[in-house]
Each structure stands twice: as structure tokens, then as C-alpha cells.
Amino acid sequence: MVVAAGAGMGIDSGLRFGNMGSPEAFQQRPAAVWGVYGHQLNLYRAATPHAGFGLLHAWGQRMQQGCFVFTSNIDGHFQKAGFTPARVYECRGSIHRLQCADNCKGPIWSTTDLRPQVDEAACEWRGELPTCPRCGALARPNILMADDWQWNATRSAQQRMLLDMWLDSVQAPLVLEIGAGRAVPTVRNFTRRMQLRGSRLIRINLHEANIHNPRDIELALGAKQALQALEAHLVSQGSTNHSKEKADGDAPRI
Ligand SMILES: [Zn+2]
């Protein structure tokens, strides 16, 4: 099973990522942009992934080949919900990683040691701004921004390589696409490529389901509601404990 997640997956955890600005803004107004980032990081650290993440994790563990996640979200919630980091591809990076703002090709490092002190009223970072351990330039989150020529894609590329290796080892895994809109088509493009490889699709999208393909399933619901409905269906079919294999026509089974 492949989980292909867009912005609609994170919304039910109560998080909506604010505009991080541009690489230029980090250079021109570093205290202000770091203030926004520090505030967001605090919120993301405190947030709990909604119940849908746990369901996906449990289903993935029952799959013979396991589960891989393709996500455009930067919240790190799949890992927080128990997914193995080596089975998550974050195509836009992560709010929990930092890189050099000049992209000196140095390391990407974790925010674990970062304790954001933000003046909420002024929306400014207080104290010294984090810097690159290699060259001493300003640090910035390892998140892909608009017109981002300084984006360090090393970590993301490694994750992508693991995804491609896993895809080579499995046959047409079911794609569970969740909350991926047309506006940012990265996730939808991935889904399309998987369909061309023979994968079946369950698309969960509150406003833009519309698969128009009788072989596949669309659920015009929010992420958490749809996943809980799928779990209720699985329980009612008795397939949560493999007690019954149900021939269900052509509909994808998970
Ligand atoms: Zn550097």
C-alpha cells in the first residue's frame, strides 16, 4: 500500500501551515521570518496526529509488503504516528530539519536542539539566530519554498531513492491518496504514475474527489472521517483479523 498525502491529510490534526515566505525573506528579514517559523515549529511539535494516521499505520503493518508514504506535508506526523522514517518520502522537506540558507552543500540537521523563543506580539525571533555548522551562514528550514534555488534536496532525494527501490520490489500496490488537491499537483502526478503502473486507487478528497473511473473508489470526505469509515467497513467485513477473505468483485481491497 502507498499512502499519497496532501494538505488535506494534516488539516484534521488542527494544523494549517502558514506561508513560510521565500528564501529572500530569510535573508532580508531574518528575525521576522524566523519568528514565524519558530511559532509554527512550536505548534507542530505540540500537535498530535489525528486518529487517521494510526489507522493507516495499523493497516500498513498488516500488508505483506508493508506501506510507503509519499507526502507533500512538512509536519512529520507520519513519523510521529509510528511510521518507519525509511518508509516516508517528504517531497517538500520537513519543518523538523534545518539547512544552510546559502546552501553551502553542508549537512541537513535536526531541530531537536532548537528551543524557539518567539516574541509573539512582535512576531520576532528572540536571541541569536541559528547558523550553519559548516560555514556559519544563517540557517533556514529544509522546506521547499517558492522559487527556491537554495533548497538542499539531499535528504529528500535519499528518501525518494528508498521509495523507488521499494516500488521496484512490489507489484502495483494500492494507492490511498488523501487530501491532495489539484492546485499543488505533485502528489496527484505521483498517483497518476502509479495508475499507469497498474495500481488501483482510493481517493479521499472533500472537494475534489471526481476520479470518474469505475475501477477506483472516491470518497468525498475529510481525511479522518474517511479513514474511520474505511476502518468501520473493514471491521464489519471481518477483514481486520484476516478471518475472512471476501471476494468483492473488482473493488480494491485493503
Ligand atoms: Zn553553510
Side-chain angles (χ1 to χ4, degrees):
M1 177 174 84
V2 181
V3 175
M9 181 64 187
I11 286 172
D12 290 340
S13 302
L15 294 172
R16 204 179 276 266
F17 192 64
N19 187 0
M20 205 71 238
S22 61
E24 287 77 34
F26 267 91
Q27 302 288 2
Q28 291 161 4
R29 295 175 283 112
V33 184
W34 263 98
V36 174
Y37 171 67
H39 177 72
Q40 297 263 357
L41 182 61
N42 283 337
L43 290 177
Y44 275 65
R45 280 176 170 170
T48 304
H50 64 74
F53 285 90
L55 292 174
L56 288 171
H57 185 242
W59 299 341
Q61 292 215 304
R62 294 208 305 270
M63 302 282 163
Q64 202 171 14
Q65 309 274 7
C67 169
F68 214 109
V69 175
F70 180 120
T71 179
S72 64
N73 297 317
I74 47 85
D75 52 28
H77 272 187
F78 283 100
Q79 294 92 327
K80 205 173 192 176
F83 283 80
T84 308
R87 288 286 182 90
V88 180
Y89 168 46
E90 298 165 300
C91 67
R92 290 180 54 226
S94 169
I95 195 171
H96 304 290
R97 293 289 185 287
L98 299 176
Q99 65 161 85
C100 176
D102 287 345
N103 194 13
C104 68
K105 312 292 180 195
I108 291 168
W109 68 100
S110 169
T111 58
T112 306
D113 296 333
L114 199 61
R115 295 280 170 268
Q117 299 289 322
V118 179
D119 181 339
E120 300 283 347
C123 198
E124 285 214 339
W125 184 269
R126 285 194 298 206
E128 268 184 57
L129 291 165
T131 53
C132 169
R134 182 166 183 259
C135 76
L138 185 70
R140 55 160 266 194
N142 183 225
I143 299 170
L144 181 61
M145 303 176 206
D147 300 320
D148 198 347
W149 304 105
Q150 275 79 41
W151 155 251
N152 184 337
T154 311
R155 179 170 178 269
S156 186
Q158 284 167 346
Q159 292 177 335
R160 178 71 207 217
M161 196 179 67
L162 292 174
L163 170 60
D164 289 340
M165 284 166 59
W166 183 79
L167 287 175
D168 284 344
S169 72
V170 296
Q171 280 204 331
L174 173 69
V175 177
L176 201 51
E177 185 198 270
I178 307 166
R182 291 195 187 89
V184 185
T186 322
V187 178
R188 289 236 175 173
N189 291 344
F190 170 73
T191 299
R192 186 73 200 124
R193 286 200 300 276
M194 293 303 297
Q195 285 182 297
L196 292 173
R197 293 172 56 141
S199 281
R200 309 291 296 276
L201 170 64
I202 297 176
R203 170 167 287 152
I204 296 169
N205 198 303
L206 189 54
H207 303 296
E208 298 178 303
N210 304 325
I211 297 173
H212 301 308
N213 183 344
R215 274 170 46 88
D216 297 318
I217 291 175
E218 60 184 53
L219 298 170
L221 297 169
K224 186 171 82 171
Q225 191 186 356
L227 295 170
Q228 288 177 328
L230 281 174
E231 172 69 1
H233 180 72
L234 290 172
V235 169
S236 75
Q237 301 295 307
S239 46
T240 52
N241 54 11
H242 299 289
S243 63
K244 186 170 71 173
E245 277 294 313
K246 186 171 175 294
D248 199 10
D250 256 344
R253 282 178 292 153
I254 59 173

